[in-house]
Amino acid sequence: MHMQLLNDDRVLIFDRTDFGPSNVSLPNGLCRKNPHDLTLKTDCTAHSVEYDSISNTFRPLNVLTDTWCSSGATLPNGTLVQTGGYNDGERVVRTFQPSCGVCDWVELPNKLLIRRWYATNHILPDGRIIVIGGRRAFNYEFYPKITRSTSQLYKLPFLAQTNVHNVENNLYPFVFLHVDGNLFIFANNRAILLNYVKNVVVRTYPTIPGGDPRSYPSSGSAVLLPLKDLELGLNVEAEVLICGGAPLGSYLKAHSRQFLPALNTCARIKINDPNPTWAIETMPMARVMSDMVILPNEDILLINGAGSGSAGWELGRDPVLSPVIYRPNSVFESRFELLNQSQVPRMYHSSAILLRDGRILVGGSNPHKFNNFTNVLYPTELSLEAFSPPYLDPSKIKLRPIIVTPASSSKIHYGKLLEVKFIITEFIDLDSIKVTLISPPFNTHSFSMSQRLLVLTNTTAAMRMDSGRFQVNVRTPGSINIAPPAFYMLFVVHQSVPSVGIWVQLM
């Protein structure tokens, strides 16, 4: 249900705690005793693991309170802050420290001002995390609560206005940090720009053509497209892409076993244009509950999902097995590429994240109220898969750069020149060389929170140093609004083929 890549290449994976026993035992006879649990008062199995993506091993973790449909974001130091959930977890903040080896979840009760179930988190330029919305939560708050202003609840009427037809469609709102420091917030079928410091809506965007909902439970997915020309500051073009979803009424009809076809369109808008409008594109197929992952070469991967129905228990049908690549820099109506089918349906409560080696880790799928492995249309899925985008085709291995410097885990600073040295076995086009930064997001329910890619500006043309060795000088982002302080994966891309990334800390 939830996944987060940490800056030690480990992935935190977790699900709700009250489904009954899992298939992984807690170590050393440890058991979770919880009188509030809806299924087991004493549970000796794990509902969270730390997966090592390098060694392909995992370690059971002990989460005590219910994380069902919760949210998260990482602090500038790499610590995951995970918020809310259900039942005894609805006001809990949980933290997890990377690079510890033996660390487990730290759970902090009553650190949220109200219950947060289906909320969205985003890292802010000052290092705080904002927690927005949730079921019957038309407001937002901050974490950590270190000042009077961060200890208050702030009303957000927009979330109540988008809660229509008793279906909501305003849960897990799509939230992106704009380059001007405000927050773009999309719910149902429309969006605003929020100055969260003054609690003022500074801009209202037009409704998506057609008016169909795109956020949970209609569950399209969204990304902030790669940011380029970073030296332009406030004039950096910021563009949001929202794909798929379910037509108005789909959620209610699915409860009576009428599964409407999902939406087959994407909507794209330049959010800092003087007069922004949505541009509509048609996907190769309809999708609801899919995930959108930004790849290191600026392409967007659409993966997972269903062809009809809605998010929710037993409400999805027609699994979509074919991933799709969307190339935002290509000509309109020629941006989609259909890829080979997978074999495993991944629908409700599945997840997907980018790994540092360029693969996509895909896991989960449970469209049932409890874990059901037999005698159901779509069994609960416990497997993990690694999806390899086209740039990992063996025929392209010689095109793939190998980063020499900077060293992994280097600290980099704002607005500075960065010398990047790399090796390419088969050099083709130095003009195609670019350096990208990607923030690893928190993924759940078809949305990757705080997902962001930045294309660093080349200050010099890439040049050959000696046989097989090359160098390019780039400038790091100049503003915390463009790139909040955090750990990022840095990639060198050649002919649309990315290197294995390295971790850098922007500070």
Side-chain angles (χ1 to χ4, degrees):
M1 191 185 296
H2 312 87
M3 287 205 297
Q4 169 76 55
L5 175 67
L6 301 175
N7 61 285
D8 57 3
D9 293 308
R10 290 175 168 86
V11 181
L12 284 188
I13 303 173
F14 53 101
D15 207 320
R16 62 182 295 181
T17 60
D18 58 356
F19 262 15
S22 76
N23 281 9
V24 178
S25 297
L26 289 168
N28 304 318
L30 182 66
C31 294
R32 182 175 62 92
K33 298 182 186 296
N34 188 345
H36 304 289
D37 196 296
L38 302 179
T39 308
L40 289 175
K41 307 305 180 187
T42 300
D43 187 354
C44 303
T45 63
H47 299 279
S48 175
V49 297
E50 181 190 58
Y51 172 68
D52 189 326
S53 65
I54 304 299
S55 65
N56 193 33
T57 57
F58 68 90
R59 180 171 68 93
L61 302 174
N62 191 21
V63 60
L64 299 175
T65 55
D66 197 355
T67 58
W68 181 20
C69 300
S70 52
S71 50
T74 52
L75 294 172
N77 68 0
T79 298
L80 174 64
V81 172
Q82 201 277 319
T83 56
Y86 184 69
N87 197 4
D88 62 353
E90 60 191 14
R91 291 184 56 201
V92 175
V93 171
R94 306 166 194 85
T95 64
F96 191 93
Q97 180 182 344
S99 304
C100 174
V102 296
C103 289
D104 212 325
W105 288 100
V106 175
E107 303 193 51
L108 308 170
N110 300 318
K111 290 297 183 180
L112 297 175
L113 298 175
I114 64 168
R115 67 196 301 257
R116 296 290 176 186
W117 193 27
Y118 300 91
T120 295
N121 294 10
H122 203 294
I123 184 65
L124 297 175
D126 61 7
R128 293 179 298 164
I129 290 169
I130 189 169
V131 187
I132 301 175
R135 179 150 286 175
R136 294 181 290 278
F138 310 132
N139 46 55
Y140 61 91
E141 60 182 290
F142 300 94
Y143 185 85
K145 301 183 184 305
I146 52 178
T147 64
R148 182 177 178 181
S149 65
T150 58
S151 301
Q152 298 180 30
L153 198 65
Y154 297 86
K155 292 183 179 179
L156 187 55
F158 170 73
L159 293 177
Q161 296 159 9
T162 49
N163 177 24
V164 296
H165 302 295
N166 296 318
V167 182
E168 293 170 315
N169 278 314
N170 65 344
L171 303 180
Y172 282 128
F174 303 143
V175 179
F176 301 106
L177 177 67
H178 195 356
V179 297
D180 64 2
N182 295 313
L183 290 175
F184 177 90
I185 303 176
F186 179 97
N188 200 313
N189 55 20
R190 53 198 180 96
I192 59 170
L193 193 63
L194 176 70
N195 182 326
Y196 59 86
V197 176
K198 299 180 178 180
N199 192 29
V200 174
V201 175
V202 296
R203 192 169 197 180
T204 299
Y205 293 93
T207 301
I208 282 186
D212 286 314
R214 306 274 181 158
S215 51
Y216 187 94
S218 291
S219 293
S221 193
V223 293
L224 177 70
L225 292 178
L227 299 175
K228 311 177 198 179
D229 304 317
L230 305 185
E231 70 279 2
L232 296 178
L234 290 177
N235 295 318
V236 171
E237 184 173 271
E239 199 166 3
V240 169
L241 176 72
I242 300 175
C243 290
L248 187 64
S250 181
Y251 178 76
L252 294 178
K253 287 183 180 296
H255 278 282
S256 59
R257 295 303 177 256
Q258 299 178 63
F259 302 102
L260 299 182
L263 302 177
N264 68 347
T265 56
C266 294
R268 182 169 164 169
I269 189 169
K270 296 179 180 179
I271 64 177
N272 52 356
D273 263 14
N275 297 293
T277 58
W278 293 96
I280 303 298
E281 301 176 75
T282 302
M283 296 187 289
M285 75 284 285
R287 296 186 103 107
V288 62
M289 296 183 285
S290 62
D291 290 284
M292 296 173 70
V293 182
I294 304 178
L295 303 179
N297 63 356
E298 300 183 61
D299 290 346
I300 312 297
L301 175 70
L302 285 81
I303 196 167
N304 302 336
S308 60
S310 170
W313 305 130
E314 317 292 343
L315 301 185
R317 292 294 186 272
D318 306 314
V320 180
L321 300 176
S322 297
V324 168
I325 292 287
Y326 177 85
R327 294 188 169 86
N329 300 325
S330 295
V331 177
F332 181 74
E333 295 186 340
S334 65
R335 293 172 175 155
F336 293 98
E337 178 187 353
L338 191 63
L339 303 179
N340 293 333
Q341 286 192 353
S342 61
Q343 301 300 314
V344 181
R346 305 276 186 185
M347 300 195 298
Y348 194 43
H349 290 154
S350 60
S351 50
I353 58 170
L354 173 72
L355 299 177
R356 191 167 54 85
D357 62 10
R359 296 177 301 163
I360 311 302
L361 184 67
V362 185
S365 185
N366 183 22
H368 315 292
K369 189 173 183 179
F370 296 101
N371 293 325
N372 293 319
F373 302 103
T374 57
N375 301 318
V376 289
L377 186 58
Y378 305 112
T380 298
E381 182 57 59
L382 298 183
S383 68
L384 289 175
E385 293 179 283
F387 172 77
S388 294
Y391 54 62
L392 291 179
D393 187 281
S395 66
K396 298 183 178 181
I397 187 64
K398 292 183 177 181
L399 300 177
R400 195 172 199 196
I402 300 171
I403 296 176
V404 178
T405 61
S408 186
S409 300
S410 293
K411 292 177 170 57
I412 61 176
H413 302 279
Y414 286 92
K416 302 296 183 180
L417 293 179
L418 181 65
E419 182 182 273
V420 181
K421 294 181 179 180
F422 53 96
I423 297 169
I424 302 176
T425 303
E426 188 174 287
F427 152 71
I428 289 184
D429 180 12
L430 276 181
D431 291 336
S432 74
I433 295 293
K434 56 190 173 186
V435 178
T436 61
L437 291 179
I438 297 182
S439 58
F442 179 88
N443 177 263
T444 189
H445 288 77
S446 302
F447 184 53
S448 290
M449 304 175 189
S450 303
Q451 183 172 217
R452 202 172 191 86
L453 182 145
L454 305 108
V455 181
L456 302 188
T457 301
N458 292 2
T459 61
T460 62
M463 49 191 169
R464 186 193 298 265
M465 303 298 292
D466 51 45
S467 179
R469 290 181 174 265
F470 301 86
Q471 177 178 321
V472 64
N473 295 331
V474 296
R475 186 172 296 279
T476 60
S479 167
I480 57 176
N481 293 332
I482 291 175
F487 279 91
Y488 291 79
M489 291 179 282
L490 181 146
F491 297 88
V492 175
V493 182
H494 169 237
Q495 286 289 101
S496 292
V497 178
S499 66
V500 172
I502 63 168
W503 288 106
V504 296
Q505 186 177 13
L506 180 61
M507 55 191 306

